[in-house]
Amino acid sequence: MRLVVTGGGTGGHIYPALAVAELMRNDPAVASVTYIGKTGGLESELVPQHGIEFLGISFYGMPRGKSPLLPFRLLVWLARLEQAKRKARMYLSEIKPHVVFGTGGYVSAPVLMAAHDLKIPYVVHEPDANPGLVNRLMGRQAAVITTSFTEGAELLRYRPTQEILVTGNPIRGSIGTLSRPEAQKLLGLDWPEDKKVLLVTGGSQGARRINLAVVEALPRLLDELGLAVIHITGKKLYDETMEALDALDPALKSHACYQVRPYSGEMAALLAVADVALCRAGSLSLSEMYVCGVPTILVPYPHAAADHQRKNAQASVRAEASVMIEDAECTGASLFQEISGLLKNPHRLLAMKSAAIGLGHPDATSQIVSGLKKIAHFP
């Protein structure tokens, strides 16, 4: 069996595609796995690091707005789309995949269009509660649609008989497999096992608003609530976060119960030790939190495409797995109030943990892989 995966632009599109690609690569029935993404995009860096063949195409998102130059820009974009489709058709004609798996992002559009032209079946995966434009359009001809949120499923249906599966997001295999003692040992933490831990992460890029609110609230989180705090700032925002800590109280950086890092590749361990997490509302982050049963305080990124992070957060709040703070209202005071309220109500925290577990899909990757093999007529 030969598989092509495509998707790009953000980690929320790339990592689910990578999770499927890695599992398929280890299947003895699979002869080849190839990732087609944007030349120079984030995926062009990440995919080769995982030992998967990467082929690039040059493409960009559809121009929008009210500029008087918009008609001209659209004509140029349509020409680029045709070029990208030709390149994708060339790749697919050479690879001859049995099925194509797309996770969204504008770069997946020409690849899925080319697959349709060549009569190669494809599967569309939608990671967010509010489906993106590419997946809404390309889902019309998809053999199967998989999605992470029940709420977005019907928005993707084009034909009454179309198969739509709520599988959850494919996630890395190590997520949800570690015990708390194993995770603490891996992270080098000597905190008591009953110490409540707040995990703060703004995603790969970091989140300035979250970082500054945490710094502002940190003395009260550590001293009044007795929390341990693991703070992942994002590489680009690490220095300014350290400057903010210096301005408030330099001693905070060496506090026994505070760890601040620019980045961590040990997300499975971090989630295993976290009692509550403060984060953005990207679909992949939420999927990992759910599988590990971590209650979340969500601060959705206000400028996300089609406001999809707010839609994700609202869905999670309705399911009672999360609480939400608007980005503009995320301050040290509001953050302390939310965290304090949760810690002082252990029954609610436990209910949120149970709700998160109920939303988790630990078998999402294997379920999608089984579906791809079925479409490709491989056992």
Side-chain angles (χ1 to χ4, degrees):
M1 175 182 169
R2 293 176 298 276
L3 171 71
V4 164
V5 295
T6 183
T10 66
H13 294 300
I14 299 166
Y15 285 111
L18 268 176
V20 168
E22 288 191 296
L23 187 58
M24 289 290 270
R25 180 183 57 184
N26 296 326
D27 191 315
V30 177
S32 69
V33 177
T34 306
Y35 196 118
I36 301 178
K38 182 186 175 184
T39 302
L42 178 60
E43 59 269 29
S44 69
E45 300 176 20
L46 293 175
V47 173
Q49 291 173 11
H50 288 75
I52 294 168
E53 181 185 17
F54 177 83
L55 298 175
I57 57 177
S58 296
F59 192 51
Y60 56 89
M62 184 175 69
R64 305 184 194 188
K66 299 180 180 180
S67 168
L69 295 175
L70 182 61
F72 172 74
R73 290 174 178 166
L74 283 171
L75 286 174
V76 174
W77 179 81
L78 287 170
R80 292 289 180 88
L81 173 60
E82 192 56 41
Q83 290 173 358
K85 280 174 59 179
R86 283 200 299 269
K87 190 70 172 285
R89 276 197 298 268
M90 183 190 75
Y91 287 148
L92 295 179
S93 296
E94 292 174 353
I95 298 166
K96 294 181 173 57
H98 295 87
V99 64
V100 176
F101 178 63
T103 57
Y106 56 80
V107 74
S108 67
V111 181
L112 298 180
M113 288 177 178
H116 178 65
D117 291 347
L118 296 171
K119 296 182 170 50
I120 300 169
Y122 65 82
V123 172
V124 163
H125 177 75
E126 175 52 60
D128 293 306
N130 186 42
L133 177 62
V134 170
N135 280 350
R136 290 202 307 271
L137 294 175
M138 299 312 302
R140 296 177 179 183
Q141 303 298 331
V144 174
I145 296 172
T146 60
T147 184
S148 184
F149 288 87
T150 304
E151 297 190 13
E154 288 307 311
L155 296 175
L156 289 161
R157 189 180 298 281
Y158 184 68
R159 304 185 305 274
T161 58
Q162 196 163 28
E163 187 174 9
I164 300 179
L165 304 175
V166 182
T167 59
N169 270 324
I171 59 174
R172 290 165 279 187
S174 57
I175 299 293
T177 62
L178 294 175
S179 68
R180 190 172 184 129
E182 289 172 334
Q184 287 203 189
K185 183 177 180 180
L186 185 63
L187 295 169
L189 302 176
D190 58 1
W191 300 329
E193 280 192 35
D194 60 351
K195 186 79 168 175
K196 293 296 183 185
V197 176
L198 169 69
L199 172 63
V200 181
T201 173
S204 58
Q205 300 300 312
R208 178 174 287 110
R209 181 83 67 174
I210 291 175
N211 286 340
L212 296 180
V214 169
V215 169
E216 184 184 344
L218 192 59
R220 300 184 70 191
L221 295 175
L222 296 172
D223 298 333
E224 292 184 33
L225 298 184
L227 274 174
V229 179
I230 302 175
H231 185 180
I232 311 300
T233 65
K235 291 180 181 179
K236 293 181 179 179
L237 302 179
Y238 178 74
D239 288 341
E240 70 174 48
T241 304
M242 298 302 281
E243 289 172 4
L245 286 165
D246 282 332
L248 182 65
D249 181 357
L252 288 170
K253 295 188 295 185
S254 57
H255 194 288
C257 291
Y258 178 59
Q259 290 211 356
V260 56
R261 308 176 182 182
Y263 169 80
S264 175
E266 303 290 351
M267 187 53 68
L270 293 174
L271 291 174
V273 302
D275 294 285
V276 63
L278 170 68
C279 56
R280 290 298 196 190
S283 60
L284 184 61
S285 294
L286 282 174
S287 295
E288 293 178 343
M289 300 288 177
Y290 294 156
V291 166
C292 296
V294 180
T296 46
I297 300 169
L298 301 177
V299 185
Y301 179 55
H303 306 297
D307 206 21
H308 71 264
Q309 285 210 10
R310 182 176 281 103
K311 302 288 176 52
N312 292 348
Q314 290 169 339
S316 195
V317 169
R318 281 192 290 271
E320 300 183 348
S322 307
V323 296
M324 183 174 79
I325 303 174
E326 292 287 358
D327 186 83
E329 299 169 1
C330 183
T331 64
S334 64
L335 179 57
F336 180 83
Q337 182 179 354
E338 288 290 356
I339 296 173
S340 176
L342 290 177
L343 292 179
K344 291 177 180 178
N345 190 344
H347 294 294
R348 186 185 180 194
L349 201 61
L350 185 61
M352 290 174 69
K353 180 180 179 68
S354 297
I357 292 171
L359 293 172
H361 294 271
D363 61 346
T365 311
S366 59
Q367 189 178 349
I368 289 172
V369 164
S370 296
L372 290 169
K373 293 173 73 174
K374 180 179 178 182
I375 292 167
H377 304 294
F378 276 76

